[in-house]
Amino acid sequence: MRLILRGAFNDQYVKLLNQASDVRSNATFSSFEKDRKEEELYIRASSLKKAYREAPLGCGVCGTQAIEDDLKYNEYNHEWFCEVCYNENQEHYKKNPHPWLPCWRKLYP
Ligand SMILES: [Zn+2]
C-alpha cells in the first residue's frame, strides 16, 4: 500500500513542478500571470508534500522509504520518522534544550 501511495504522490508532485516550470517558460503569459499561476502550483505542491509528510509513507528527516523500517509517529509535529532519526532527534533535544520549544519529553516522548 505504501508503494502505491508513494508512487501516486511522486507522480502528482513531479507533475505540479513540471507545470510550474512550463508556466515560467510560456511566452504567452504576462509576468503577472506567470507569478500567479506558478504560486498556485507551488501552493498545491506544498500542500501535497505536507500531506505526504503527515502520512506514514517515509521518514520526515532522512526520507527513508524502506518498507521494512518501522515508522514512529510524532504527535507534536504530526510527522513520521524512522526509528534512527526519531532517537537521534530525541537525544539531540535532551542534550540541547531549545528554550523557545516545549520540553523534549513533549517533542520526542
Ligand atoms: Zn529517518
Side-chain angles (χ1 to χ4, degrees):
M1 184 61 138
R2 284 182 182 174
L3 288 174
I4 294 169
L5 292 172
R6 284 182 200 143
F9 162 77
N10 284 333
D11 291 349
Q12 186 61 28
Y13 191 72
V14 167
K15 184 178 172 184
L16 289 168
L17 296 182
N18 286 340
Q19 286 175 336
S21 178
D22 291 345
V23 164
R24 179 55 48 196
S25 60
N26 189 325
T28 63
F29 295 135
S30 70
S31 179
F32 175 77
E33 287 173 319
K34 287 180 183 181
D35 289 348
R36 190 180 52 77
K37 289 178 188 290
E38 256 188 333
E39 182 180 359
E40 179 187 319
L41 290 165
Y42 284 131
I43 287 171
R44 288 174 54 195
S46 174
S47 175
L48 184 64
K49 185 83 166 187
K50 182 178 181 300
Y52 176 81
R53 293 184 77 173
E54 291 178 356
L57 300 175
C59 176
V61 176
C62 70
T64 186
Q65 297 181 347
I67 289 295
E68 65 275 6
D69 285 342
D70 262 357
L71 297 173
K72 197 167 182 177
Y73 186 66
N74 183 305
E75 290 182 26
Y76 181 77
N77 60 14
H78 308 289
E79 288 189 26
W80 294 83
F81 297 93
C82 71
E83 197 167 328
V84 171
C85 289
Y86 192 94
N87 291 339
E88 283 180 5
N89 281 357
Q90 187 182 54
E91 286 303 312
H92 172 78
Y93 281 96
K94 277 184 191 175
K95 293 176 183 167
N96 308 291
H98 295 64
W100 60 91
L101 292 174
C103 168
W104 69 266
R105 289 179 183 85
K106 181 168 179 153
L107 293 172
Y108 292 94

